[in-house]
Amino acid sequence: MPQTTLWIKNPRAIWTGNEEDAQAGLLVQGNKIVALVPKGQSPDQVYDEVFDASQHVVLPGLINCHHHLYQTLTRACPVALNKPLFPWLKSLYSVWANLDEAAIHVSTQLGLAELLLSGCTTAADHHYLFPEATPNAIDIQVDAAQTLGMRTLFTRGSMSLSIKDGGLPPDHVVQDHDTILADSERVIKQYHQPEAGAMTQIALAPCSPFSVTRALMQDSAKVARQYGVRLHTHLGETSDENDFCVEKFGKRPVDYLEEVDWLDDDVWLAHGIHFTEEEITRLGKANVAISHCPSSNMLLASGICPTLALENAGAIIGLGVDGSASNDGSNMIQELRQALLIQRLRYPASDITHDRVLNWATQGGAKLMGRTDIGELATGKQADLALFKLDEARFSGHGDPVAALLLCGAHKADAVMVAGQWQVKDGALIGMDLESVIATHQAKAIALQNQ
Ligand SMILES: [Zn+2]
């Protein structure tokens, strides 16, 4: 059966992420963009359907590089309020230890729904809690994501260094080395799609230097490279972490990373704040990628990521909303505004432009995930689109429609397409009854927080 061709026609504005002229829109066929239409022109090819985009600003689908979807269940959790990272984590480990399968399923659905409604089409999640009740957490997440039609990169996280061995998490939330590696290998084989257009990918993600052993860092890298999947961890988030690494391993986090063979271009780090100039040079030279997580860094008072220094040194920058318990939200377009604002406290406004932030949230994220098929609007790329309207009071009076998304505080997409399929139309999810998911999720959250 021939595929239909859709013309996203005459957008109010379009930001492609490249120099190509697409002012009259683009053509989508199957899961791909098959043509860009220059200003004032009509498509050269025959098309079957038209989407009138005259009220929309069109962006490439946004890419979220770091998250913990299960944390949507502990937003604004009383025991964790108003604390920095280490005390915040210690308050929450025992709450999270009671996660069950239904909690992981509904939190994955709810968090991804929230991201999708904010224009995000590809999301990475870092799940590192595998208490006895949920050894198959990644399988549950993959299943839950399918109900939304989003592109996902699930990272098989891990914790193996508990309090009794000098780590931060309690004993009952960690797993042993061999169990972690065997399950890592299993989920890669079962779910990782290496090909262009992939909807589900897997990466390996020991949680952080303060929750895994040196051997697990090294062996996770070996397994990831054997199967060609990427590596992820938290690094350089707080100065507590630097102190911990010096005390426990006798070296700072970047030296530790190098020692365990992680200073390479298949690695992305969440946060990346507390580095020396010399460490930034080494991270850049190795083309390590960093997921900048501005809201979380502000909420936990962690610091400001040196994005430009890292980028100038050769590192890749993407954006992440981070966990919904530290950020308390999973809104991707809002995270772009947060990145713009916090980075202007560190660098000149002329360097932190809305274009640069949009680049981080699209092409930066794609590069961080090692993908060349997403992150911009160009012929042959996947048809992942985020369309925003500017009809709310907050936008009234705007000049530049693209800049207005960040500066006036866009918070919801009107339409979102993933792999050529509409998943959001008129600001609502197409494939999911969101109200019923919220009801289940809220009940689960109350039960979990009151256990
Ligand atoms: Zn995180």
Side-chain angles (χ1 to χ4, degrees):
M1 205 175 90
Q3 290 173 320
T4 57
T5 304
L6 171 69
W7 180 14
I8 308 288
K9 184 181 176 184
N10 293 335
R12 165 98 169 73
I14 186 163
W15 187 90
T16 58
N18 53 50
E19 298 300 312
E20 301 289 316
D21 179 0
Q23 288 188 61
L26 50 84
L27 287 189
V28 173
Q29 190 182 74
N31 60 1
K32 286 186 183 165
I33 297 167
V34 293
L36 300 183
V37 189
K39 185 178 182 182
Q41 295 186 23
S42 292
D44 290 334
Q45 297 166 248
V46 177
Y47 53 90
D48 310 288
E49 293 171 18
V50 169
F51 178 91
D52 175 7
S54 58
Q55 303 301 311
H56 295 88
V57 180
V58 181
L59 304 180
L62 305 175
I63 298 175
N64 183 37
C65 301
H66 183 67
H67 206 4
H68 311 284
L69 291 162
Y70 73 88
Q71 293 181 8
T72 55
L73 292 161
T74 53
R75 293 191 230 241
C77 185
V79 295
L81 288 175
N82 309 323
K83 290 180 179 168
L85 181 69
F86 276 19
W88 175 87
L89 276 171
K90 285 177 180 167
S91 310
L92 286 166
Y93 281 139
S94 57
V95 181
W96 295 335
N98 293 316
L99 285 173
D100 60 16
E101 293 192 353
I104 290 174
H105 195 272
V106 77
S107 59
T108 301
Q109 282 189 317
L110 190 285
L112 289 179
E114 205 184 343
L115 283 166
L116 193 52
L117 287 164
S118 68
C120 176
T121 52
T122 302
D125 192 55
H126 186 178
H127 190 88
Y128 53 81
L129 278 165
F130 294 83
E132 274 180 19
T134 60
N136 297 322
I138 300 296
D139 307 69
I140 297 165
Q141 290 202 289
V142 170
D143 181 58
Q146 278 163 6
T147 54
L148 285 125
M150 262 180 97
R151 247 179 249 288
T152 44
L153 168 53
F154 287 112
T155 73
R156 202 299 179 187
S158 50
M159 294 200 290
S160 62
L161 192 69
S162 69
I163 294 168
K164 73 172 164 35
D165 300 315
L168 200 68
D171 297 345
H172 56 282
V173 296
V174 305
Q175 289 182 302
D176 71 72
H177 185 96
D178 292 346
T179 305
I180 291 165
L181 288 178
D183 194 53
S184 298
E185 213 167 334
R186 179 187 71 80
V187 296
I188 294 169
K189 285 183 184 163
Q190 200 163 339
Y191 299 116
H192 181 69
Q193 300 168 351
E195 67 275 7
M199 294 300 290
T200 309
Q201 294 198 319
I202 300 290
L204 299 188
C207 185
S208 61
F210 49 82
S211 56
V212 301
T213 60
R214 192 187 302 248
L216 187 62
M217 290 293 285
Q218 287 166 324
D219 289 347
S220 295
K222 282 185 197 147
V223 172
R225 288 171 184 146
Q226 181 189 342
Y227 289 96
V229 304
R230 296 181 97 74
L231 285 162
H232 180 46
T233 192
H234 293 95
L235 206 89
E237 183 172 0
T238 62
S239 45
D240 290 10
E241 178 193 313
N242 284 348
D243 298 344
F244 178 91
C245 280
V246 169
E247 195 180 313
K248 174 87 187 165
F249 305 115
K251 53 189 66 175
R252 287 171 55 84
V254 175
D255 296 325
Y256 177 62
L257 212 62
E258 187 162 30
E259 181 194 292
V260 294
D261 202 19
W262 273 59
L263 216 54
D264 218 328
D265 63 2
D266 54 359
V267 170
W268 90 98
L269 308 173
H271 306 295
I273 298 167
H274 297 276
F275 299 137
T276 63
E277 273 182 40
E278 184 270 336
E279 288 167 345
I280 289 173
T281 304
R282 280 155 68 203
L283 289 161
K285 204 167 162 206
N287 302 125
V288 168
I290 310 284
S291 174
H292 173 35
C293 304
S295 296
S296 166
N297 297 159
M298 285 186 269
L299 215 133
L300 296 175
S302 303
I304 306 177
C305 174
T307 51
L308 292 199
L310 283 160
E311 210 165 43
N312 291 337
I316 310 298
I317 303 290
L319 293 185
V321 299
D322 196 11
S324 295
S326 56
N327 177 336
D328 293 297
S330 316
N331 189 304
M332 196 60 204
I333 189 70
Q334 283 185 345
E335 206 63 27
L336 274 68
R337 174 175 164 83
Q338 301 282 51
L340 182 108
L341 297 179
I342 193 175
Q343 288 299 324
R344 283 192 181 178
L345 294 179
R346 183 154 201 157
Y347 297 111
S350 55
D351 286 333
I352 304 298
T353 62
H354 65 271
D355 273 315
R356 186 187 283 270
V357 175
L358 281 163
N359 251 299
W360 289 340
T362 54
Q363 282 153 312
K367 281 187 200 151
L368 173 149
M369 293 181 184
R371 298 190 70 144
T372 56
D373 57 337
I374 57 173
E376 63 179 311
L377 304 181
T379 303
K381 300 284 177 184
Q382 288 288 303
D384 289 3
L385 311 174
L387 289 78
F388 296 85
K389 276 188 171 176
L390 303 175
D391 55 358
E392 292 173 78
R394 67 176 67 218
F395 298 111
S396 186
H398 73 268
D400 182 324
V402 176
L405 293 177
L406 276 68
L407 298 177
C408 306
H411 63 113
K412 68 193 256 281
D414 182 66
V416 180
M417 175 181 278
V418 188
Q421 302 286 321
W422 290 115
Q423 299 296 351
V424 174
K425 274 266 188 89
D426 298 322
L429 292 171
I430 287 175
M432 179 189 278
D433 175 0
L434 185 58
E435 277 185 28
S436 100
V437 172
I438 292 172
T440 309
H441 182 266
Q442 181 64 48
K444 202 74 202 167
I446 290 168
L448 192 67
Q449 292 191 32
N450 293 323
Q451 246 168 13

